[in-house]
């Protein structure tokens, strides 16, 4: 740094001598002789000298900056110029580098809920099947039968079990007592049961006043003919061959004799 300061002092001395020679010529009386022409040239010379001085200062600043950078890499020096003059040297604080964001720890996915094992033999029905539930359970069926169940509600139950992967090898359906079956709902039911090896559709036995009975039975017969895994059990015809007192007075629901016969026909249809 001492050598650098000596060099800078020499530069300043040379500059002062040049300015002195350019800007003053003494007459015998001691005044400065400046013609109009010389005045213009003098101004231009002065401007050039000022710019040279600014450039020299910039070079000086460069030496200073270099020394500062060598002393500390964490500082930055800015040189501000205004009208050819060095105004200031500003030492700026280092800009901290933005650290990459730390990603949040990923939470482990919850383990899939274990719903339950597959149901090997399932019976879905309405109040007619509900009367025969004990006899069907003796055959090994899990019975899902409720009063006043429409076909669409039975479809919902089948779809839920299908989505849970709980349908087994055998499904028996007895639905349609409480209202007409839509063809689209029957198709959806067959799609839900398409991977079940053995499906039995129990046809409805209803009095003539239930005008939708024949239409429901026709849909089930067509489904059995279309799907090779499906069998139609003609309960509407076989109920008349039931020994004993099989039906209550409404000619729909099963007495104990009818419950045993009903379960035996289903077992026979499945080869149990």
């Amino acid at each position: 740094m001492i050598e650098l300061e000596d060099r800078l002092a020499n530069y300043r001395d040379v500059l002062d001598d040049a300015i002195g020679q350019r800007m003053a010529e003494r007459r015998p009386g001691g005044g400065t002789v400046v013609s109009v022409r010389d005045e213009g040239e003098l101004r231009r010379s002065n401007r050039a000298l000022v710019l040279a001085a600014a450039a020299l200062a910039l070079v000086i600043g460069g030496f200073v900056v270099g020394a500062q950078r060598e002393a500390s890499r964490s500082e930055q020096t800015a040189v501000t110029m205004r009208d050819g003059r060095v105004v200031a040297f500003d030492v700026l604080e280092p800009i901290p580098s933005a650290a990459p964001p730390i990603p949040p720890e990923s939470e482990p996915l919850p383990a899939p809920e274990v719903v339950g094992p597959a149901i090997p033999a399932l019976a879905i029905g309405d109040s007619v099947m509900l009367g025969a539930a004990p006899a069907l359970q003796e055959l090994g069926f899990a019975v899902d039968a409720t009063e006043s169940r429409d076909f669409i509600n039975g479809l919902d139950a089948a779809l839920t079990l299908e989505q849970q992967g709980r349908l087994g090898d055998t499904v028996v359906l007895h639905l349609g007592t409480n209202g007409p079956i839509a063809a689209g709902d029957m198709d959806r039911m067959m799609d839900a049961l398409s991977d079940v090896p053995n499906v039995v559709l129990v046809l409805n036995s209803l009095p003539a006043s239930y005008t939708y009975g024949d239409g429901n039975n026709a849909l089930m017969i067509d489904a059995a003919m279309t799907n090779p895994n499906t069998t139609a059990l003609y309960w509407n015809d076989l109920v008349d061959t039931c020994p004993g007192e099989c039906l209550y007075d409404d000619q729909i629901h099963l007495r104990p004799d009818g419950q045993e016969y009903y379960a035996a026909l289903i077992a026979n249809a499945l080869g149990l």
Side-chain angles (χ1 to χ4, degrees):
M1 290 298 294
I2 296 174
E3 181 182 354
L4 176 61
E5 291 175 356
D6 292 340
R7 292 173 60 187
L8 295 179
N10 292 333
Y11 287 143
R12 294 191 187 97
D13 292 340
V14 173
L15 184 59
D16 290 341
D17 292 341
I19 293 173
Q21 293 174 4
R22 291 278 185 174
M23 296 187 63
E25 288 183 17
R26 300 246 178 222
R27 290 186 305 172
T32 300
V33 179
V34 180
S35 65
V36 175
R37 179 178 179 182
D38 291 337
E39 185 177 358
E41 292 178 355
L42 181 58
R43 289 179 180 176
R44 288 192 293 272
S45 297
N46 290 342
R47 187 181 299 112
L49 289 173
V50 171
L51 293 176
L56 177 59
L58 184 58
V59 171
I60 295 171
F63 282 114
V64 175
V65 171
Q68 289 175 339
R69 286 181 177 172
E70 290 296 329
S72 173
R73 292 289 183 178
S74 64
E75 294 183 350
Q76 299 178 353
T77 303
V79 179
T80 303
M81 301 293 295
R82 182 178 302 165
D83 298 332
R85 296 179 294 110
V86 178
V87 176
F89 292 89
D90 299 324
V91 179
L92 305 179
E93 293 295 329
I95 301 174
S97 60
I102 301 175
E105 296 183 1
S106 57
E107 296 182 359
L109 296 176
E113 181 181 358
V114 178
V115 178
I119 303 171
L122 173 66
I124 300 176
D126 50 33
S127 56
V128 177
M129 178 181 282
L130 181 60
L136 291 172
Q137 289 169 345
E138 289 181 3
L139 295 174
F141 280 92
V143 180
D144 178 7
T146 60
E147 293 183 359
S148 302
R149 176 181 258 169
D150 292 331
F151 186 89
I152 189 66
N153 300 124
L155 173 60
D156 290 340
L159 287 172
T160 298
L161 292 172
E162 187 269 335
Q163 292 169 0
Q164 295 174 352
R166 299 192 62 197
L167 295 177
D169 293 335
T170 301
V171 174
V172 177
L173 298 177
H174 191 163
L175 298 166
T177 302
N178 298 295
I181 301 172
D185 291 339
M186 178 61 73
D187 292 338
R188 293 174 61 198
M189 178 69 82
M190 291 297 99
D191 288 342
L193 303 179
S194 60
D195 293 332
V196 177
N198 301 301
V199 178
V200 176
L201 300 178
V202 181
L203 273 61
N204 292 294
S205 177
L206 299 172
S209 58
Y210 290 73
T211 57
Y212 50 81
D214 291 341
N216 288 351
N217 289 341
L219 283 176
M220 287 186 271
I221 292 170
D222 183 68
M225 295 178 64
T226 304
N227 297 276
N229 65 329
T230 303
T231 300
L233 175 58
Y234 288 73
W235 171 245
N236 57 329
D237 292 336
L238 295 172
V239 66
D240 292 336
T241 63
C242 176
E245 296 185 12
C246 294
L247 300 177
Y248 286 103
D249 294 341
D250 61 7
Q251 298 298 304
I252 298 175
H253 294 94
L254 302 174
R255 292 179 180 270
D257 290 342
Q259 296 167 13
E260 295 294 333
Y261 185 60
Y262 178 90
L265 290 176
I266 291 174
N268 184 69
L270 292 170
L272 300 179

